[in-house]
Amino acid sequence: MGVAVAQSIETWLGKRRVPGSSPAWNKVWKDPNEDTEWNDILRKKGILPPKEVPKEDEEEELALQQQSIVKTYEDMTLEELDDNEDEFGEEDEAAIEMYRQKRLAEWKATQMKNVFGEIVEISGQDYVKEVNKAGEGIWVVLHLYKQGIPLCSLINQHMNTLARKFPQTKFLKSISTTCIPNYPDRNLPTIFVYFEGEMKAQFIGPLVFGGMNLKLEELEWRLSESGAVKTDLEENPKKQIEDKLMSSIRCSLPTRKDSDSEDEDY
């Protein structure tokens, strides 16, 4: 049917193209790219080829596409930019590098903002602000203590060292009854670990810490298990002590040969 329509149109046009026809009419055929209703009809019937896109329009469309690509960079994290690096062409490298530097600067600013580096004393009035509303991505380690308890003093010393080693973690201390009224002394020392305001771990009472034999590395390991710090320790340091203790016990036990010799003496 389309072919018949096209042929009829061509026949009709052939009849119309007579000497003396108006220049405006002949212009349809001289400029097939002109925006006219008749040219649109002819293009739909396949008589005229598709309209050519002007070079300026092509450049404008390309620019819009590039802007669209650039917008995707704006939404990417540093990790995503690195993961998708192979997907972008050479013409995108400048834009990618620009946004990589932008993301890097934002990350550094966040890291600087979240540097604490020391253990801070708080009261019950500061609890909500410093703990529950610590902020997104913030780990908080809170030590409840009392003056005059040696193990509490030891843990405060260890936490002061750990606060300098792990400045992205917020280390806090508070006198127990100031923070929580009527908090029992038998539960001291107590350490609560929070992430983004939610409790993730708790260590309550002297037995949990192993008494005054608690080493700095042991406390660091315990906090790392809760997620509060990222330790460089490869294994639980308390395990090494336990292994040495078991080794010394085994060495002190009589061997089977020695036991047989003792039996013969009797």
Side-chain angles (χ1 to χ4, degrees):
M1 180 177 177
V3 174
V5 172
Q7 290 175 346
S8 64
I9 292 174
E10 288 178 345
T11 302
W12 183 82
L13 288 173
K15 293 178 180 179
R16 298 291 295 178
R17 289 197 300 272
V18 296
S21 59
S22 66
W25 177 257
N26 289 331
K27 188 177 180 182
V28 173
W29 299 100
K30 294 178 181 178
D31 187 4
N33 290 319
E34 186 177 7
D35 287 324
T36 64
E37 184 177 355
W38 185 248
N39 277 2
D40 291 340
I41 295 173
L42 297 181
R43 289 190 195 98
K44 289 180 181 178
K45 301 303 181 182
I47 297 173
L48 289 181
K51 183 181 177 181
E52 295 180 2
V53 180
K55 188 174 181 181
E56 292 181 359
D57 293 347
E58 290 180 350
E59 293 176 353
E60 183 178 353
E61 183 178 356
L62 181 60
L64 291 174
Q65 291 177 352
Q66 290 177 341
Q67 288 178 6
S68 176
I69 293 174
V70 169
K71 288 182 181 178
T72 63
Y73 301 159
E74 295 177 348
D75 299 329
M76 289 186 181
T77 63
L78 280 170
E79 184 177 355
E80 289 171 338
L81 284 172
D82 291 337
D83 291 342
N84 292 280
E85 187 174 4
D86 296 336
E87 302 296 327
F88 304 121
E90 294 181 359
E91 66 277 6
D92 302 321
E93 289 183 359
I96 293 175
E97 184 60 27
M98 179 179 66
Y99 285 107
R100 180 182 282 111
Q101 294 300 324
K102 179 181 177 182
R103 287 285 177 265
L104 185 60
E106 291 173 352
W107 179 81
K108 287 182 178 179
T110 301
Q111 295 299 309
M112 291 298 295
K113 182 180 179 181
N114 294 338
V115 168
F116 304 103
E118 61 181 358
I119 185 170
V120 177
E121 182 92 27
I122 67 169
S123 65
Q125 295 177 342
D126 303 322
Y127 186 87
V128 173
K129 175 186 175 183
E130 298 294 338
V131 177
N132 297 112
K133 296 182 179 180
E136 183 178 352
I138 302 298
W139 284 92
V140 177
V141 179
L142 172 63
H143 176 213
L144 299 184
Y145 75 101
K146 257 191 178 179
Q147 299 287 353
I149 300 178
L151 184 54
C152 288
S153 299
L154 178 63
I155 289 178
N156 277 338
Q157 292 177 14
H158 289 340
M159 285 186 57
N160 195 41
T161 302
L162 293 174
R164 292 193 298 270
K165 183 175 181 179
F166 304 102
Q168 276 71 44
T169 299
K170 181 188 283 189
F171 286 87
L172 305 173
K173 64 180 179 179
S174 178
I175 295 176
S176 57
T177 52
T178 300
C179 191
I180 304 176
N182 302 318
Y183 193 77
D185 289 354
R186 66 177 179 275
N187 289 344
L188 300 179
T190 293
I191 288 181
F192 294 136
V193 178
Y194 298 83
F195 180 67
E196 296 183 345
E198 295 185 6
M199 185 179 290
K200 297 299 182 181
Q202 55 184 358
F203 308 95
I204 300 174
L207 294 179
V208 172
F209 297 99
M212 291 299 293
N213 293 321
L214 177 68
K215 300 292 189 292
L216 173 65
E217 292 78 11
E218 294 172 15
L219 181 58
E220 178 180 335
W221 182 263
R222 282 175 175 259
L223 294 179
S224 72
E225 287 183 316
S226 70
V229 300
K230 294 183 179 180
T231 182
D232 52 4
L233 298 173
E234 296 182 356
E235 63 177 5
N236 186 354
K238 197 171 183 64
K239 182 177 181 300
Q240 298 176 357
I241 298 174
E242 292 173 351
D243 290 344
K244 289 180 180 179
L245 179 61
M246 292 301 296
S247 177
S248 63
I249 292 174
R250 284 194 295 268
C251 290
S252 64
L253 291 175
T255 62
R256 183 177 181 82
K257 183 177 180 180
D258 293 337
S259 179
D260 292 342
S261 299
E262 291 177 0
D263 291 340
E264 289 177 0
D265 293 339
Y266 287 102

